[in-house]
PDB file of all heavy atoms in Angstrom:
ATOM      1  N   THR A  20     120.750 102.128 220.301  1.00 99.00           N
ATOM      2  CA  THR A  20     120.762 102.069 218.903  1.00 99.00           C
ATOM      3  C   THR A  20     121.187 103.437 218.351  1.00 99.00           C
ATOM      4  O   THR A  20     120.840 104.488 218.930  1.00 99.00           O
ATOM      5  CB  THR A  20     119.302 101.774 218.316  1.00 99.00           C
ATOM      6  OG1 THR A  20     118.509 102.937 218.419  1.00 99.00           O
ATOM      7  CG2 THR A  20     118.700 100.545 219.019  1.00 99.00           C
ATOM      8  N   GLY A  21     122.004 103.409 217.282  1.00 99.00           N
ATOM      9  CA  GLY A  21     122.542 104.702 216.763  1.00 99.00           C
ATOM     10  C   GLY A  21     123.579 105.266 217.695  1.00 99.00           C
ATOM     11  O   GLY A  21     123.808 106.490 217.706  1.00 99.00           O
ATOM     12  N   GLY A  22     124.228 104.416 218.478  1.00 98.00           N
ATOM     13  CA  GLY A  22     125.139 104.832 219.494  1.00 98.00           C
ATOM     14  C   GLY A  22     126.478 105.387 219.039  1.00 98.00           C
ATOM     15  O   GLY A  22     127.187 106.051 219.812  1.00 98.00           O
ATOM     16  N   THR A  23     126.822 105.218 217.716  1.00 98.00           N
ATOM     17  CA  THR A  23     128.051 105.856 217.223  1.00 98.00           C
ATOM     18  C   THR A  23     127.751 107.209 216.575  1.00 98.00           C
ATOM     19  O   THR A  23     128.612 107.865 216.142  1.00 98.00           O
ATOM     20  CB  THR A  23     128.795 104.965 216.238  1.00 98.00           C
ATOM     21  OG1 THR A  23     127.868 104.421 215.325  1.00 98.00           O
ATOM     22  CG2 THR A  23     129.517 103.851 216.978  1.00 98.00           C
ATOM     23  N   GLY A  24     126.430 107.577 216.549  1.00 98.00           N
ATOM     24  CA  GLY A  24     126.038 108.884 216.016  1.00 98.00           C
ATOM     25  C   GLY A  24     126.371 110.025 216.898  1.00 98.00           C
ATOM     26  O   GLY A  24     126.974 109.828 217.987  1.00 98.00           O
ATOM     27  N   TYR A  25     125.950 111.220 216.460  1.00 98.00           N
ATOM     28  CA  TYR A  25     126.239 112.447 217.213  1.00 98.00           C
ATOM     29  C   TYR A  25     125.706 112.452 218.639  1.00 98.00           C
ATOM     30  O   TYR A  25     126.473 112.447 219.638  1.00 98.00           O
ATOM     31  CB  TYR A  25     125.643 113.655 216.431  1.00 98.00           C
ATOM     32  CG  TYR A  25     125.771 114.947 217.058  1.00 98.00           C
ATOM     33  CD1 TYR A  25     126.881 115.396 217.671  1.00 98.00           C
ATOM     34  CD2 TYR A  25     124.658 115.828 217.075  1.00 98.00           C
ATOM     35  CE1 TYR A  25     126.991 116.721 218.161  1.00 98.00           C
ATOM     36  CE2 TYR A  25     124.747 117.112 217.623  1.00 98.00           C
ATOM     37  CZ  TYR A  25     125.914 117.537 218.185  1.00 98.00           C
ATOM     38  OH  TYR A  25     125.976 118.747 218.750  1.00 98.00           O
ATOM     39  N   ILE A  26     124.424 112.368 218.821  1.00 98.00           N
ATOM     40  CA  ILE A  26     123.864 112.381 220.208  1.00 98.00           C
ATOM     41  C   ILE A  26     124.136 111.090 220.942  1.00 98.00           C
ATOM     42  O   ILE A  26     124.449 111.038 222.130  1.00 98.00           O
ATOM     43  CB  ILE A  26     122.335 112.699 220.196  1.00 98.00           C
ATOM     44  CG1 ILE A  26     122.123 113.981 219.349  1.00 98.00           C
ATOM     45  CG2 ILE A  26     121.810 112.853 221.559  1.00 98.00           C
ATOM     46  CD1 ILE A  26     120.619 114.263 219.008  1.00 98.00           C
ATOM     47  N   GLY A  27     124.053 109.941 220.144  1.00 99.00           N
ATOM     48  CA  GLY A  27     124.244 108.645 220.754  1.00 99.00           C
ATOM     49  C   GLY A  27     125.622 108.520 221.373  1.00 99.00           C
ATOM     50  O   GLY A  27     125.833 107.962 222.468  1.00 99.00           O
ATOM     51  N   SER A  28     126.656 108.984 220.714  1.00 98.00           N
ATOM     52  CA  SER A  28     128.041 108.810 221.243  1.00 98.00           C
ATOM     53  C   SER A  28     128.198 109.559 222.548  1.00 98.00           C
ATOM     54  O   SER A  28     128.800 109.106 223.509  1.00 98.00           O
ATOM     55  CB  SER A  28     129.055 109.270 220.197  1.00 98.00           C
ATOM     56  OG  SER A  28     128.854 110.579 219.768  1.00 98.00           O
ATOM     57  N   HIS A  29     127.697 110.817 222.609  1.00 98.00           N
ATOM     58  CA  HIS A  29     127.777 111.634 223.833  1.00 98.00           C
ATOM     59  C   HIS A  29     126.962 110.919 224.921  1.00 98.00           C
ATOM     60  O   HIS A  29     127.372 110.959 226.107  1.00 98.00           O
ATOM     61  CB  HIS A  29     127.291 113.057 223.605  1.00 98.00           C
ATOM     62  CG  HIS A  29     128.224 113.842 222.744  1.00 98.00           C
ATOM     63  ND1 HIS A  29     128.224 113.755 221.347  1.00 98.00           N
ATOM     64  CD2 HIS A  29     129.220 114.696 223.034  1.00 98.00           C
ATOM     65  CE1 HIS A  29     129.124 114.564 220.834  1.00 98.00           C
ATOM     66  NE2 HIS A  29     129.768 115.117 221.869  1.00 98.00           N
ATOM     67  N   THR A  30     125.896 110.333 224.586  1.00 99.00           N
ATOM     68  CA  THR A  30     125.075 109.656 225.611  1.00 99.00           C
ATOM     69  C   THR A  30     125.727 108.406 226.139  1.00 99.00           C
ATOM     70  O   THR A  30     125.744 108.144 227.359  1.00 99.00           O
ATOM     71  CB  THR A  30     123.677 109.311 225.002  1.00 99.00           C
ATOM     72  OG1 THR A  30     123.019 110.491 224.562  1.00 99.00           O
ATOM     73  CG2 THR A  30     122.823 108.596 226.018  1.00 99.00           C
ATOM     74  N   CYS A  31     126.396 107.713 225.249  1.00 99.00           N
ATOM     75  CA  CYS A  31     127.185 106.502 225.699  1.00 99.00           C
ATOM     76  C   CYS A  31     128.258 106.898 226.743  1.00 99.00           C
ATOM     77  O   CYS A  31     128.396 106.254 227.733  1.00 99.00           O
ATOM     78  CB  CYS A  31     127.857 105.806 224.521  1.00 99.00           C
ATOM     79  SG  CYS A  31     126.666 104.964 223.482  1.00 99.00           S
ATOM     80  N   VAL A  32     128.908 108.060 226.450  1.00 99.00           N
ATOM     81  CA  VAL A  32     129.965 108.528 227.387  1.00 99.00           C
ATOM     82  C   VAL A  32     129.329 108.788 228.779  1.00 99.00           C
ATOM     83  O   VAL A  32     129.843 108.362 229.824  1.00 99.00           O
ATOM     84  CB  VAL A  32     130.623 109.783 226.811  1.00 99.00           C
ATOM     85  CG1 VAL A  32     131.390 110.546 227.933  1.00 99.00           C
ATOM     86  CG2 VAL A  32     131.501 109.529 225.660  1.00 99.00           C
TER      87      VAL A  32
END
Side-chain angles (χ1 to χ4, degrees):
T20 73
T23 44
Y25 174 47
I26 307 169
S28 56
H29 290 83
T30 300
C31 289
V32 166

